[in-house]
Amino acid sequence: MRRIALFLGAVMALSSCSILGNTNWDSAQLGSAMANAATAASITDAQVVELCKQSTAQLDARNKIDNGAYNKRLQNLMKTANVPGLPLNFKVYQTDEINAFASADGSVRVYSGLMDVMDDDELIAVIGHEIGHVVKQHVKSRMKKAYMNAAARNVVNAAGALGALSQGVLGDLAETLANSQYSQKMEYQADDYGYEFAIANGHTPYSMANSLQKLVKLSGGSRASQLQNMFSDHPDNQKRADRQREKADRLTGKK
Ligand SMILES: [Zn+2]
């Protein structure tokens, strides 16, 4: 809510400038900006889900979708996955990049580069981590913010019709969806979700810890540049791995 207030405040300040004789903005432009602000501030959860769906569709169109062995492995791995209220669907993008993301509409996209470096236990934990960002509402709040930023740049049309979003705006939102960075607290929440998700689907309690440990190792190696934003910018990755390993140790009675 604070961001919305700040943004509306900025629009009000702009309005004051206009009253003081700033002729750079005509009233139609200002009205449009304010309509955008109002639309962005009141964008519903259902509309954010629709934004996520459209952004995912754009990424699907831009990437090569695997229909072979990668896809078979992923579908098989995820066949028991069930999140109440979130209809999951899974696809593999053929690329060396080490990444995965989940969208608020239930779409999960896994990059083949990630599948190359993870065993099934690790992979399901990473996917659970990404789904955790959706379940904990991180994705929705991030996409809402991205949409509001687009409105602030006055690139969302005045009616705010989601169907009329330009490909450029959708491209920015898609980039946000695929490469979001979250706070340490949010990452911990998603790690905890991934830990439970792996166990619920029949995998070792060490799945989340092992996947984080592998990402720590990769971030110091030759494939670091392919890690994209996944874990690469978090200084506390080792701490995250240790935290999940300690949980698994407690569960299995090792500590
Ligand atoms: Zn994350």
Side-chain angles (χ1 to χ4, degrees):
M1 283 309 288
R2 191 162 156 266
R3 288 186 185 283
I4 293 168
L6 280 173
F7 178 62
L8 287 175
V11 172
M12 293 309 285
L14 189 62
S15 168
S16 301
C17 279
S18 179
I19 289 164
L20 291 172
N22 181 338
T23 54
N24 290 333
W25 283 66
D26 64 27
S27 59
Q29 283 174 314
L30 194 56
S32 171
M34 293 191 76
N36 289 341
T39 305
S42 62
I43 187 170
T44 64
D45 266 17
Q47 285 174 315
V48 179
V49 171
E50 178 58 27
L51 269 185
C52 286
K53 200 173 172 182
Q54 289 186 24
S55 301
T56 305
Q58 208 206 45
L59 287 162
D60 284 355
R62 281 203 325 237
N63 284 278
K64 190 159 187 262
I65 310 278
D66 183 85
N67 286 310
Y70 284 107
N71 184 52
K72 202 173 162 191
R73 179 184 167 203
L74 180 65
Q75 302 299 336
N76 191 45
L77 181 65
M78 303 313 294
K79 64 179 187 285
T80 58
N82 176 43
V83 179
L86 192 67
L88 297 169
N89 73 85
F90 301 92
K91 283 187 181 20
V92 178
Y93 291 165
Q94 280 185 1
T95 164
D96 285 344
E97 288 170 30
I98 298 170
N99 199 8
F101 67 88
S103 181
D105 70 328
S107 300
V108 177
R109 300 296 178 259
V110 183
Y111 296 30
S112 58
L114 177 71
M115 298 181 73
D116 287 337
V117 297
M118 299 261 161
D119 67 22
D120 282 358
D121 292 335
E122 294 159 351
L123 188 59
I124 203 166
V126 171
I127 292 169
H129 171 104
E130 297 303 330
I131 293 173
H133 281 309
V134 173
V135 172
K136 302 293 179 188
Q137 309 294 321
H138 305 160
V139 173
K140 267 190 202 162
S141 66
R142 180 55 52 86
M143 289 297 278
K144 189 170 182 173
K145 191 175 145 201
Y147 179 80
M148 287 175 70
N149 285 340
R153 297 197 313 270
N154 203 26
V155 291
V156 176
N157 68 35
L162 294 175
L165 281 180
S166 73
Q167 289 298 302
V169 174
L170 256 189
D172 287 353
L173 294 174
E175 182 61 27
T176 299
L177 183 64
N179 292 309
S180 267
Q181 299 261 304
Y182 295 105
S183 69
Q184 185 191 59
K185 187 183 166 200
M186 287 172 167
E187 294 302 342
Y188 279 172
Q189 287 176 341
D191 288 346
D192 288 342
Y193 192 90
Y195 171 90
E196 299 290 346
F197 188 81
I199 294 171
N201 287 285
H203 293 260
T204 166
Y206 288 96
S207 299
M208 193 75 246
N210 289 347
S211 69
L212 288 166
Q213 197 62 58
K214 185 161 274 179
L215 287 163
V216 168
K217 193 176 159 204
L218 285 165
S219 64
S222 59
R223 297 198 65 185
S225 65
Q226 290 163 339
L227 273 172
Q228 292 288 337
N229 291 323
M230 179 172 264
F231 302 85
S232 56
D233 284 349
H234 283 281
D236 62 329
N237 290 334
Q238 185 59 53
K239 207 165 121 195
R240 288 169 60 191
D242 294 345
R243 190 168 160 269
Q244 296 303 324
R245 189 166 304 281
E246 281 162 19
K247 274 167 56 182
D249 282 344
R250 281 198 297 276
L251 188 75
T252 57
K254 280 193 185 172
K255 274 185 189 170

